[in-house]
Amino acid sequence: MIWHEPRPADVPLRNRRDWVLVGVIVVLAIVEYALRPVLHAYPLALAVTIGLAPTLLWRRQRPLVALAVAFVVSGLVAGLAADVPDTYVMVYVLMLPYALFRWGSGREMVAGILLVAANLAVSVAVDRLTLTDAVGGAAILCATITLGAAQRFRIRARSREFEQVRLMERERLARDLHDTVAHHFSAIAVRAQAGIAVAEVRPDAPLEALRIIETEATRALAEMRTIVRVLRRDEAAELSPNPGIADIPGLADHPGPRVAITMRGDLREVPTPVGTALYRLAQESVTNARRHARHASLIEVEVHADDQAVRLKVRDDGEIAGTVSPGFGVLGMIERAELLGGECQAGPDEHRGWLVTAVLPWRAR
């Protein structure tokens, strides 16, 4: 129900463009007043046009207040000085109903509709507008309001989709970590059993087993904490074998542009969660390049490990048409990298094609 609709949480702050907009409106109002002789006898028209322009500065933070000031003042002018003509520049007031339905709460929307309807009624009552003009004006206002509401709910739907992607990526990461934790606990159990079995013939075996158990338990505990931190829903995750860094060369075994894979550094000791994440990032990047890179003939995948982190770079030589914004797949990649304490960036390469880079530390936070 519209009455209980809350205000959006991401209301942008006033910025320089808002001040520029008000300045442009003031200049246009003065120019129109100078060029339209019919306005010379009505300086009040110019005063109202300029005086209401600052309401645009409040249209996002205080949409109802801005609309109320503009429509109450214009309604008073219509009632007390019906012969004062409107300026063409006054069309800017349409931004206020748009802003009200884009940024206002449900109660503010209802109040705003009543104010707009009252303004039109006053204009018709004092013969400032004919009934036909009022109907036309109401249609324009309805179109403006509809546009604001449509933008509001489109942004909300996109935010929900993005949140769903984040939740799905958290579940996938938790599922990937599950097998690693299970491996650690299996090693703990095997070492404990082996220590007990040979304790009689090798007195030092239990101590050696305890050292290994301590190491495995520490790793398992750290990864369990990661799972608890990233998993935010109660549904059970489906378990499946996890690919790792050794599976990245297999990404070349698919139809499409040739995939050249280069792997440098000592990758044998890469932790399983990091290796799985690198594979997922490389897989998503290669898949995106095959789907979206026009006329691409080569996809380069580079994996490089150093003492601090493992780095991934995926680039293609395709063409990018127009402005490209990251999709939900890219947002999921960024989310996964950040959950492991790393970072991932994606965007057009300075030379040609699309470039994805990721840096993951050896130990996830």
Side-chain angles (χ1 to χ4, degrees):
M1 186 175 178
I2 188 173
W3 182 258
H4 300 291
E5 177 72 17
R7 293 198 69 194
D10 56 342
V11 179
L13 300 175
R14 186 184 302 122
N15 54 48
R16 182 179 300 177
R17 287 179 296 180
D18 295 325
W19 291 98
V20 171
L21 175 62
V22 171
V24 169
I25 289 173
V26 170
V27 171
L28 291 177
I30 294 173
V31 170
E32 181 185 359
Y33 183 80
L35 297 180
R36 286 182 65 190
V38 69
L39 295 177
H40 293 172
Y42 302 99
L44 180 60
L46 176 62
V48 171
T49 303
I50 294 178
L52 294 180
T55 58
L56 297 180
L57 299 174
W58 314 330
R59 69 185 187 279
R60 289 188 290 265
Q61 289 79 24
R62 298 287 185 271
L64 179 60
V65 173
L67 182 140
V69 170
F71 279 78
V72 168
V73 169
S74 61
L76 289 174
V77 171
L80 301 177
D83 57 332
V84 176
D86 289 326
T87 62
Y88 298 142
V89 179
M90 278 292 290
V91 73
Y92 71 77
V93 297
L94 290 176
M95 297 183 190
L96 300 177
Y98 170 88
L100 178 64
F101 277 75
R102 174 65 181 90
W103 304 111
S105 67
R107 292 177 174 82
E108 290 174 328
M109 294 179 200
V110 173
I113 291 176
L114 295 177
L115 282 172
V116 171
N119 181 280
L120 287 174
V122 169
S123 297
V124 172
V126 300
D127 292 329
R128 186 181 180 87
L129 291 178
T130 65
L131 185 59
T132 302
D133 291 337
V135 171
I140 294 174
L141 284 168
C142 286
T144 304
I145 288 171
T146 302
L147 183 62
Q151 180 70 0
R152 178 195 191 103
F153 293 113
R154 186 187 73 84
I155 296 297
R156 178 182 297 177
R158 181 172 176 83
S159 298
R160 287 175 177 171
E161 291 177 2
F162 175 51
E163 185 62 25
Q164 184 67 21
V165 169
R166 294 180 70 249
L167 291 173
M168 290 176 61
E169 198 61 38
R170 288 171 180 264
E171 289 184 353
R172 288 182 62 189
L173 179 56
R175 185 169 64 246
D176 292 341
L177 290 170
H178 171 275
D179 286 351
T180 306
V181 173
H183 168 76
H184 289 314
F185 280 111
S186 297
I188 290 172
V190 169
R191 288 294 178 176
Q193 293 167 358
I196 294 172
V198 300
E200 294 182 359
V201 296
R202 288 183 54 198
D204 61 332
L207 183 59
E208 180 183 351
L210 286 173
R211 290 195 183 100
I212 296 175
I213 288 172
E214 180 188 15
T215 301
E216 295 293 335
T218 301
R219 292 177 179 175
L221 182 59
E223 287 161 10
M224 284 285 288
R225 286 172 177 161
T226 303
I227 292 177
V228 173
R229 180 169 55 85
V230 304
L231 192 57
R232 290 292 181 267
R233 297 206 291 186
D234 298 331
E235 296 89 336
E238 178 186 358
L239 302 180
S240 60
N242 295 329
I245 200 166
D247 298 296
I248 291 179
L251 296 175
D253 301 332
H254 295 280
R258 183 172 68 89
V259 179
I261 297 176
T262 304
M263 305 182 72
R264 295 181 288 116
D266 186 4
L267 301 171
R268 295 171 296 177
E269 300 298 326
V270 173
T272 301
V274 175
T276 300
L278 284 168
Y279 176 85
R280 299 292 191 197
L281 297 178
Q283 181 186 44
E284 181 72 22
S285 301
V286 171
T287 300
N288 287 343
R290 285 183 171 133
R291 289 178 179 174
H292 305 299
R294 302 193 325 178
H295 310 301
S297 61
L298 176 64
I299 303 172
E300 296 178 282
V301 179
E302 299 178 13
V303 181
H304 174 225
D306 55 31
D307 295 338
Q308 301 296 325
V310 186
R311 307 174 191 277
L312 172 71
K313 182 182 295 184
V314 182
R315 63 155 60 93
D316 62 74
D317 62 351
E319 297 177 359
I320 299 177
T323 303
V324 180
S325 59
F328 290 120
V330 173
L331 296 176
M333 293 163 57
I334 295 172
E335 176 75 6
R336 174 176 283 257
E338 290 179 348
L339 288 172
L340 290 175
E343 61 179 15
C344 178
Q345 297 179 347
D349 191 7
E350 59 181 359
H351 301 295
R352 179 184 175 94
W354 190 262
L355 173 65
V356 177
T357 59
V359 180
L360 297 181
W362 279 85
R363 296 295 176 192
R365 289 188 302 191

